[in-house]
Amino acid sequence: MPVLPFRYNQSMWHAARKWARIFTVFAQDALAYRAVAVIWILTDTIPTLVMPLIWQASYNGRATIGGFTPGDMTAYYLLVLGITNMVQCHVMWEIATDIKEGRFSAYLMRPFSYIAMSYLGFLAWRIMRTLLFVPIFLVVAFLYRGTLRWEDVQLGWPFLLALFGGHLVSFFITYPFGLLALYFVETRSLFNFWYIPVMIFNGQIAPLTLFPPALRAVAEWVPFRYTIAFPAEVLMGRLPPDQVWRGLGMQVLWIVLGYAAGVALWRRGLKRFTGVGL
Amino acid sequence: MTHPRRYLRLYRVFARNNVVREMEFRGNFWAKLLTSVGWVAAFAAIVKLIFANTTAVAGWTEGELFLLFGTFLLVRSLMDMLFTQSLGKIPELVRMGTMDFVLTKPVSSQFYVSARYLSLDEAGTFLAAWLVLGYAWSLLRLPLTAAQVGAWLFLVACGLAILYAINMLLMTLAFWLVRIDNLSALTDTIVFVARYPPDIFPRYLAFAVTYLLPLAFVAAIPTGALKEGVHAATLCIATGMAALFLFVTSLFWRYATRSYTSASS
């Protein structure tokens, strides 16, 4: 007789295999569409790489802007770009398409949770994007070598925690937002609008320390800062330990809030959902 | 059907059809309008943020940068209202094999894929462009001459032609990149480079965005007419570039459609 209850053991094994299989399917999907992934990477890369050029042209002989030397500034955008590839979540489009085209009903019949499916799809794409981004990162770092300064970069546990936290925050705020497709017929404009606060507050546009105090105060409390800007600030060694702890705490808070919102929107939304496309 | 009057009539039918369609989705129309204005406000906020930390970007002052941004918005909103939606459908036409129906229609296929759909819901950006231009003018208080404004309008028209050509060239790639369904996102991203002063780029990139992929002609060169005055040489080069790129676009389109073998066969 095994020490552990056999059934329990089997079901754990069974679940792990099930999720591994689903992940493999998503990974194959991401692999099949790698050209598409390269284009999505470029759509993040091009605007983010113009910004350091703008700042370089703005120093006009000064040593720093908002505490950033020209070298720090270029490093900031490059690191943000790398983090974006690992973190930034766009699952709301998939959720809306699932719902609009009736695939959602099929998912409801299957024996696995929709949120876990959604997360595995997101994870597979992020891994694919990160791998494809490595060569692009090297080329860009080479091209920008003249104005790049890495000295302050701290690749330690605080950064890895903040990075994984950012990855989860991005998913757990985007997922409930995507579930709004259960409530509205047309979501395209709403989703496009979403990217405005995302872009401003997640640090892709500019280091948040350059913001005027009022906007910076807003950034402290909205979830977007904790997706990309916060791990980037930790990585560049810009935050004192108490700020790092506070940031990690905010990440946990937003993950919990996002999950709760997801559950609530799911329960109420399913009652309204009538299965379009069946 | 080569007579221009017949094309004009056809275009009127397309336009009417679009207005009717748009009226059916009024909620969407207003949502789109609001989103466009939101994006303009967001970029204006970025410009404000930059100038909260500096007084000049590569020699461009805040007013001049807003002038550039307003000009860019004007050209891009015209592009989006007139052509972008139609061109955006090219990859789908190729993938689904419905390009066959376009090619067999008794009209120029380039005209059809360029002008079939109008997007009136892009009017928000068009209106916002004038607001941005007004704001730029209030910062600069330039003494403008009629010749400058005339040259600016002419260069804006050339910019629109060049922007159309760039967009069309990129979307025509769909004949070979059949599986790529986000080509228009790439086009959008590239086009957005035109809202920055070309002077910020290193020399080789500045050359590339002026002559190879002439994004500088979309907004920066028209803005120059207001900022620095009218130069006959600039007007000539812009006209030449617009003509050249329209010609190349049409050649490339013909080459692409000739080598197209249909998805269904």
Side-chain angles (χ1 to χ4, degrees):
Chain A
M1 281 290 279
V3 182
L4 279 168
F6 187 63
R7 267 182 90 86
Y8 174 70
N9 202 4
Q10 186 197 37
S11 68
M12 284 280 284
W13 172 238
H14 190 73
R17 268 189 33 186
K18 184 176 77 178
W19 293 118
R21 172 69 59 199
I22 290 171
F23 176 79
T24 313
V25 171
F26 278 122
Q28 281 167 346
D29 198 47
L31 197 66
Y33 286 93
R34 57 193 177 277
V36 173
V38 168
I39 289 193
W40 285 130
I41 291 176
L42 288 178
T43 62
D44 281 338
T45 307
I46 295 171
T48 312
L49 288 186
V50 174
M51 287 310 292
L53 295 176
I54 290 192
W55 289 116
Q56 301 304 344
S58 304
Y59 279 92
N60 302 322
R62 279 182 297 163
T64 61
I65 288 181
F68 282 76
T69 66
D72 295 333
M73 199 62 106
T74 307
Y76 175 82
Y77 284 99
L78 257 178
L79 297 174
V80 158
L81 203 52
I83 297 171
T84 303
N85 278 289
M86 298 178 223
V87 164
Q88 185 82 296
C89 182
H90 308 273
V91 289
M92 72 273 204
W93 301 101
E94 256 96 67
I95 297 173
T97 322
D98 282 350
I99 291 170
K100 231 190 267 177
E101 294 180 358
R103 245 178 301 159
F104 190 69
S105 314
Y107 282 129
L108 289 181
M109 307 300 289
R110 290 179 196 165
F112 31 69
S113 88
Y114 187 71
I115 184 166
M117 284 273 304
S118 205
Y119 176 75
L120 287 177
F122 163 61
L123 182 66
W125 265 96
R126 290 305 106 195
I127 291 174
M128 186 71 197
R129 292 250 330 225
T130 305
L131 292 176
L132 287 171
F133 180 68
V134 171
I136 296 179
F137 183 83
L138 294 176
V139 169
V140 172
F142 177 75
L143 288 175
Y144 281 58
R145 68 192 178 286
T147 54
L148 193 57
R149 216 178 62 92
W150 291 115
E151 279 88 66
D152 293 341
V153 170
Q154 295 171 3
L155 257 178
W157 280 109
F159 165 66
L160 292 177
L161 275 177
L163 178 68
F164 188 59
H167 170 89
L168 290 180
V169 170
S170 192
F171 176 76
F172 279 104
I173 59 173
T174 312
Y175 174 79
F177 182 67
L179 285 184
L180 289 180
L182 286 168
Y183 297 79
F184 301 103
V185 183
E186 178 52 51
T187 47
R188 179 177 285 268
S189 292
L190 188 67
F191 288 179
N192 276 328
F193 204 88
W194 166 255
Y195 286 104
I196 296 176
V198 167
M199 275 233 317
I200 290 179
F201 290 118
N202 75 2
Q204 267 180 304
I205 283 303
L208 298 177
T209 46
L210 299 185
F211 281 25
L215 267 183
R216 217 181 327 166
V218 176
E220 290 287 314
W221 293 100
V222 290
F224 311 113
R225 177 189 170 212
Y226 299 96
T227 58
I228 296 169
F230 172 63
E233 287 161 19
V234 175
L235 181 58
M236 291 193 70
R238 298 251 149 195
L239 295 179
D242 63 313
Q243 287 286 317
V244 175
W245 283 113
R246 186 186 169 278
L248 291 173
M250 286 298 283
Q251 288 187 323
V252 173
L253 177 72
W254 279 112
I255 292 167
V256 171
L257 283 179
Y259 181 74
V263 171
L265 284 168
W266 175 266
R267 285 211 188 119
R268 292 198 41 200
L270 275 198
K271 284 186 197 137
R272 301 169 50 114
F273 178 67
T274 48
V276 193
L278 276 180
Chain B
M1 187 152 172
T2 49
H3 203 284
R5 283 241 314 264
R6 298 176 107 179
Y7 273 90
L8 219 59
R9 216 177 63 206
L10 194 57
Y11 194 71
R12 272 217 304 276
V13 176
F14 288 165
R16 199 166 50 228
N17 172 261
N18 277 296
V19 174
V20 171
R21 218 164 43 102
E22 208 93 65
M23 287 309 206
E24 267 185 74
F25 305 103
R26 254 162 302 183
N28 199 40
F29 175 82
W30 291 110
K32 187 73 189 287
L33 220 65
L34 205 71
T35 311
S36 328
V37 175
W39 275 107
V40 173
F43 191 73
I46 296 169
V47 177
K48 285 305 247 182
L49 174 69
I50 293 167
F51 282 96
N53 291 288
T54 189
T55 48
V57 176
W60 292 61
T61 63
E62 183 176 357
E64 288 168 345
L65 216 64
F66 270 111
L67 203 59
L68 173 68
F69 182 42
T71 307
F72 168 77
L73 287 174
L74 184 64
V75 176
R76 200 182 79 104
S77 62
L78 287 170
M79 172 73 205
D80 285 353
M81 282 196 278
L82 297 172
F83 307 115
T84 305
Q85 198 194 349
S86 310
L87 295 179
K89 291 189 194 289
I90 293 176
E92 200 189 317
L93 289 172
V94 175
R95 201 168 31 243
M96 300 294 190
T98 30
M99 187 59 84
D100 300 11
F101 301 117
V102 175
L103 295 176
T104 49
K105 279 185 177 46
V107 284
S108 145
S109 57
Q110 191 185 344
F111 169 73
Y112 187 90
V113 298
S114 305
R116 175 61 188 84
Y117 300 98
L118 294 173
S119 306
L120 301 171
D121 51 6
E122 296 290 346
T125 312
F126 183 76
L127 296 176
W130 292 103
L131 284 180
V132 171
L133 287 168
Y135 179 65
W137 195 78
S138 79
L139 289 177
L140 287 171
R141 299 270 168 208
L142 284 172
L144 290 178
T145 64
Q148 275 180 307
V149 177
W152 175 73
L153 280 173
F154 177 77
L155 290 170
V156 161
C158 290
L160 177 62
I162 288 170
L163 186 57
Y164 164 79
I166 293 173
N167 221 312
M168 179 77 191
L169 285 172
L170 285 169
M171 296 314 287
T172 306
L173 290 175
F175 279 98
W176 293 278
L177 309 174
V178 180
R179 296 192 57 177
I180 296 181
D181 57 9
N182 55 354
L183 255 188
S184 57
L186 180 66
T187 310
D188 252 12
T189 308
I190 292 173
V191 163
F192 270 126
V193 173
R195 67 188 173 180
Y196 302 107
D199 317 61
I200 62 166
F201 295 113
R203 192 162 303 170
Y204 61 95
L205 261 183
F207 178 83
V209 297
T210 310
Y211 295 106
L212 301 181
L213 197 68
L215 291 165
F217 284 89
V218 172
I221 287 173
T223 308
L226 299 180
K227 192 169 144 274
E228 282 144 15
V230 184
H231 298 289
T234 312
L235 296 178
C236 291
I237 296 172
T239 314
M241 285 299 268
L244 175 72
F245 269 79
L246 286 178
F247 178 66
V248 169
T249 302
S250 136
L251 275 187
F252 189 48
W253 175 256
R254 260 183 251 172
Y255 173 69
T257 46
R258 221 176 299 132
S259 54
Y260 164 74
T261 49
S262 175
S264 47
S265 56

